[in-house]
Amino acid sequence: MLLQIVHIILTVLWWFIIAQAVMSWLIAFNVINTHNQFVGQLWMVLDRITEPLYRPFRRIMPDFGGLDLTPMLVLILIIIIDGPVLSYLARLAYANGMA
């Protein structure tokens, strides 16, 4: 049950990161404008959700100028945690009779 909750949380975080990345591209290319109240609020919510995830990695990643690879790094980590790590923990729990 706990592993299913972790899987759901990781999936939701995945979609928040994708939405934030797409929205940042749309803002950068001036397709949408943050002066629009809805866009500004949505951007603020997505930023508040994703920034704590990005912050530790931004400290250690080199500066690539205008290119931010932090969302991609966090998505890769989510894939690793959600795939092999949770599968291993599920097999371990099943082997110990906890499932």
Side-chain angles (χ1 to χ4, degrees), residues 9-70:
I9 291 170
L10 291 173
T11 302
V12 169
L13 285 176
W14 168 275
W15 286 109
F16 278 137
I17 292 169
I18 295 293
Q20 189 267 344
V22 169
M23 193 168 178
S24 73
W25 296 335
L26 294 174
I27 291 170
F29 291 114
N30 208 20
V31 175
I32 59 175
N33 192 335
T34 55
H35 295 296
N36 178 306
Q37 185 179 2
F38 174 75
V39 172
Q41 288 179 347
L42 182 60
W43 178 250
M44 184 179 63
V45 167
L46 289 173
D47 189 55
R48 286 188 181 185
I49 291 170
T50 58
E51 186 58 33
L53 298 170
Y54 298 159
R55 194 174 303 123
F57 301 105
R58 285 190 173 140
R59 288 187 198 138
I60 60 174
M61 288 194 57
D63 185 18
F64 292 108
L67 184 63
D68 185 13
L69 298 177
T70 310

Side-chain angles (χ1 to χ4, degrees), residues 51-98:
E51 186 58 33
L53 298 170
Y54 298 159
R55 194 174 303 123
F57 301 105
R58 285 190 173 140
R59 288 187 198 138
I60 60 174
M61 288 194 57
D63 185 18
F64 292 108
L67 184 63
D68 185 13
L69 298 177
T70 310
M72 186 170 37
L73 176 65
V74 174
L75 287 175
I76 291 169
L77 288 174
I78 287 175
I79 290 170
I80 292 169
I81 293 170
D82 194 34
V85 173
L86 283 184
S87 295
Y88 174 76
L89 291 175
R91 283 193 307 266
L92 191 63
Y94 182 74
N96 291 330
M98 301 172 103

